[in-house]
Amino acid sequence: MTQPLTAPAPLLATPLDAGTAPSVAHGPSAEPTGVLDRFEDWAALAPQAPAVIDSARVWTYQDLDAAADQVATALRDRVRPGDMVGVCLDRSTALVVTAVALARIGAVYLPLGPRPGERRTQAVTEDLDVACLIGDPGVLPEGHRAGEHLPLPLPTGGVNAPAAAVAAFTDSARGTRRAPESALYAVLTSGSTGRPKAVAVAEASLSVALDWYRAETGLAPGDRQSLLIGVAFDPHLLELWAGLTSGAALVPAPDDTRWDSRVLTDWWRDSALTHAVAATPTVEPLLDRPWPQDLQLRHLVVGGDRMRRRPGADVTATVHNAYGPAEATVVTTTHTMRCTDPDAGEQAPPPIGTALPGVTLVVTDDDGRPVPRGQDGELRVGGHCLALGYLDPELTARRFTAPPQGAELPSVDRLYRTGDRVRMNADGSLDFLGRLDDQVKISGVRIEPAEVEAAFEQDPRVRSAVVTVQRDSWGHGRLVAHLRLTEGAEPDTGELLDAVRAWLPEQAVPAAVRLVDGFPLDANGKVDRPALAAAVPAPVAPRAATEDEHADPEAAATATERLVLATVRDLLGRPGTGLGDNFTDAGGTSIIAARLLATVERETGVRLRAPELLRSTDLRAFAALLDQRRTPQPAGA
């Protein structure tokens, strides 16, 4: 269903110089195909081929086909074609079965992640017409835990499997916004109102991305494809359906692979993966050390954040630097890098590449008119890749616009305004230059600070909130929340952070909270965000020991404790972090944990695993574990 469009942009005021090509590029031609049909073809052609390799269990295409049919049969009396179903499962065989079953019914797959925040889910179900949630009843939001449960015959064994699986229905009023009729799935993106936006994508659009993936990477029967990306984010759909539409086997990733890059490469090796998709921040630490030479990995697609260097000449996999918003179906452009490239290993960001088949790229000025190649502008995207739109028609009309009159864009009737600043090179490739609006990338996920601010302002103790971004020397961002409290409120900052976790995805929870009496204003009377950000103290190392240990509570710390504390303070940007703080409670995330473990190994030679960090009661206990591993054990011990 095509959403309403805004009025066309005015005619080009002045023609481009005759010798200057406009910033318009088209990918190779493409025609949409089927997604579910391709899976069913493989189930008929190669029923005994492995479809999912989940720990010690191998599910064949025949097994998967039968399991999906059972789930679809169980749901058909309650879920109709076009209904949205919230999927609260992790990367597992159960997730794969559910995706196929919903496609078979014609229902719209809405991934929410295995433990969706209570209040975030409440906001989604109040806005959207969600028929039910599928997941482990023990981790569903309270409203759905208390509702009617329909047991589902989903697999409850293997990696990240649910302990039980139900479709949970609730008697509470459902939202009014439904997905367009042809939608295959819908995903949530950050919303400035504090409530997530939902964007719907058709099967035809996903099929074009899948056709490119198979052609570019050669994924075929006998290969093994990762299922690694977090389920709340749309690239997991590229992984999932790429495997099922190519006759290859999907391999769900254990949860600790996202916390430790060495665990990730161990998993690639042990699983004999040939193809993988991963977030850029997860892969970058791997490029800073020698590449493992015993991997079967042939193709690695990375995306979600700016890549800050090229893979080295020792990287045996072909690396595809991918770019694409959810509104343009996962992948819009890619740049392919091989170890034989003359610029392999250069310490410079690679381009985000050229248009995929069926994709049109236009770099425009503020009025929507194409700029000359080599000039900065906003990226607009058109073609088969475009989503159907947001489930909010007014928002769709603002972001999916008609192409400018006078521009030669055959067969393109809509362009999506990405809000990304890019430059088109002479060969049609794009360099990514940053955001034009307030959105930022944190650990590869697009975040609107206004959404985080609105989450804090739901708390009656908070009068107003402003969120800024602090970047470290590597360019990695972390959020800092500046809060003005209501009169008489004296909450602990940790309590305030805990309160917003139910509203926000992990990456959107700030690393630090500052309590302020007021906000600086600029000449226009608006909050001066740069001045506010500048007021955040730069990360500092702990003070050196003095004779008066009482003057510094950390003065008696061991060398290992000082190393751990200084590293964590620097990574979190929170100089007040102490040895008695728990890593995750202090704001630690999976990406930060990976950097901490890498620093510890570089400085001490001791390799610890992410679960050991997460199980430690506080940073002092983690340092003690590190000291224990550094101390040689006596013979016979």
Side-chain angles (χ1 to χ4, degrees):
M1 179 187 299
T2 302
Q3 301 286 353
L5 302 174
T6 59
L11 289 170
L12 299 179
T14 55
L16 298 172
D17 293 340
T20 303
S23 293
V24 177
H26 305 279
S29 61
E31 288 297 329
T33 57
V35 174
L36 180 62
D37 287 348
R38 281 186 176 272
F39 161 73
E40 293 181 335
D41 287 345
W42 283 111
L45 290 170
Q48 299 307 313
V52 182
I53 301 174
D54 190 350
S55 191
R57 172 72 191 271
V58 176
W59 292 73
T60 66
Y61 273 81
Q62 183 179 62
D63 295 334
L64 192 60
D65 180 65
D69 197 51
Q70 289 179 337
V71 173
T73 299
L75 288 171
R76 272 198 176 96
D77 289 341
R78 301 293 302 273
V79 177
R80 300 165 299 168
D83 281 352
M84 270 186 292
V85 175
V87 179
C88 306
L89 297 168
D90 209 341
R91 304 167 303 250
S92 62
T93 305
L95 178 75
V96 180
V97 171
T98 299
V100 175
L102 294 180
R104 196 163 274 174
I105 294 172
V108 180
Y109 174 95
L110 176 66
L112 300 176
R115 290 174 178 79
E118 181 90 31
R119 302 179 78 171
R120 182 177 174 86
T121 306
Q122 180 182 348
V124 169
T125 54
E126 287 174 352
D127 293 345
L128 309 181
D129 186 5
V130 178
C132 64
L133 301 184
I134 291 178
D136 183 338
V139 299
L140 292 179
E142 182 178 356
H144 285 80
R145 286 200 302 271
E148 178 188 354
H149 290 175
L150 173 66
L152 295 178
L154 285 170
T156 54
V159 171
N160 306 320
V166 300
F169 299 83
T170 178
D171 293 332
S172 60
R174 284 156 52 171
T176 58
R177 291 175 181 163
R178 289 181 61 82
E181 293 178 3
S182 57
L184 174 68
Y185 70 88
V187 291
L188 303 180
T189 64
S190 187
S192 59
T193 63
R195 303 175 82 89
K197 302 174 296 190
V199 59
V201 177
E203 179 180 11
S205 296
L206 181 61
S207 76
V208 174
L210 295 172
D211 289 346
W212 162 81
Y213 188 93
R214 289 190 299 269
E216 182 71 16
T217 70
L219 184 65
D223 288 332
R224 296 186 178 191
Q225 168 68 52
S226 69
L227 190 58
L228 171 67
I229 299 295
V231 173
F233 308 115
D234 59 313
H236 88 275
L237 286 147
L238 181 72
E239 295 182 288
L240 190 154
W241 286 108
L244 298 183
T245 58
S246 64
L250 288 168
V251 186
D255 191 58
D256 60 355
T257 54
R258 70 190 184 103
W259 291 87
D260 189 330
S261 57
R262 289 192 182 273
V263 173
L264 176 63
T265 53
D266 287 346
W267 174 68
W268 285 348
R269 179 187 303 106
D270 297 342
S271 301
L273 281 182
T274 57
H275 295 68
V277 178
T280 306
T282 303
V283 171
E284 281 190 322
L286 302 177
L287 304 180
D288 292 330
R289 56 176 182 261
W291 186 260
Q293 295 300 297
D294 53 353
L295 301 178
Q296 296 187 39
L297 192 68
R298 302 200 307 272
H299 289 272
L300 173 61
V301 177
V302 300
D305 206 345
R306 183 188 305 195
M307 201 171 192
R308 292 169 175 81
R309 57 161 293 181
R310 296 171 184 265
D314 63 334
V315 177
T316 52
T318 297
V319 179
H320 307 267
N321 185 31
Y323 162 86
E327 292 85 349
T329 316
V330 188
V331 183
T332 306
T333 67
T334 58
H335 176 71
T336 299
M337 295 168 284
R338 299 177 176 85
C339 60
T340 54
D341 293 342
D343 52 7
E346 278 191 4
Q347 299 290 322
I352 56 174
T354 54
L356 263 64
V359 173
T360 292
L361 308 173
V362 186
V363 184
T364 72
D365 60 18
D366 293 342
D367 295 322
R369 301 171 299 194
V371 300
R373 294 197 181 191
Q375 183 173 316
D376 300 358
E378 179 183 7
L379 175 61
R380 304 190 187 212
V381 179
H384 292 306
C385 64
L386 282 196
L388 295 165
Y390 299 105
L391 271 60
D392 179 347
E394 292 183 3
L395 181 58
T396 299
R398 289 199 300 270
R399 298 304 295 266
F400 291 81
T401 66
Q405 295 180 8
E408 296 183 6
L409 301 173
S411 303
V412 173
D413 60 355
R414 295 186 303 155
L415 291 173
Y416 169 66
R417 298 188 60 178
T418 66
D420 289 325
R421 187 166 62 91
V422 300
R423 179 189 305 117
M424 184 174 288
N425 301 308
D427 62 357
S429 66
L430 296 177
D431 293 326
F432 182 81
L433 305 175
R435 291 290 300 173
L436 289 166
D437 57 20
D438 290 335
Q439 282 192 343
V440 295
K441 281 285 186 72
I442 303 294
S443 297
V445 177
R446 284 193 297 165
I447 302 295
E448 289 195 27
E451 177 180 16
V452 185
E453 293 164 0
F456 276 105
E457 290 168 357
Q458 299 281 350
D459 193 317
R461 298 169 294 184
V462 177
R463 176 176 297 175
S464 54
V466 176
V467 172
T468 61
V469 180
Q470 187 181 49
R471 297 196 179 275
D472 60 22
S473 57
W474 296 282
H476 300 120
R478 51 199 170 211
L479 298 178
V480 178
H482 311 261
L483 307 182
R484 185 183 178 194
L485 301 180
T486 55
E487 186 174 353
E490 297 181 354
D492 180 83
T493 55
E495 296 175 9
L496 296 171
L497 280 172
D498 288 341
V500 299
R501 292 182 195 277
W503 285 99
L504 302 170
E506 175 192 4
Q507 292 83 352
V509 177
V513 169
R514 291 182 67 236
L515 303 182
V516 298
D517 295 328
F519 302 116
L521 303 179
D522 61 18
N524 296 318
K526 297 182 179 180
V527 174
D528 190 339
R529 290 175 182 267
L532 196 59
V536 179
V540 297
R543 285 175 13 204
T546 65
E547 295 183 3
D548 184 4
E549 294 186 356
H550 295 289
D552 185 352
E554 313 297 344
T558 66
T560 302
E561 289 173 341
R562 288 196 296 271
L563 168 66
V564 169
L565 191 59
T567 305
V568 171
R569 285 174 170 176
D570 180 57
L571 291 172
L572 294 178
R574 301 180 69 177
T577 303
L579 289 169
D581 291 333
N582 175 269
F583 174 74
T584 52
D585 290 345
T589 65
S590 58
I591 299 297
I592 293 173
R595 294 177 190 149
L596 171 61
L597 294 169
T599 299
V600 165
E601 182 177 2
R602 183 175 65 250
E603 297 296 327
T604 69
V606 176
R607 178 185 177 190
L608 295 177
R609 299 285 184 130
E612 295 173 305
L613 168 62
L614 303 179
R615 286 196 298 264
S616 299
T617 55
D618 53 29
L619 296 178
R620 183 176 283 106
F622 177 67
L625 177 62
L626 182 57
D627 274 332
Q628 181 183 350
R629 297 290 174 82
R630 296 174 75 177
T631 304
Q633 297 295 313

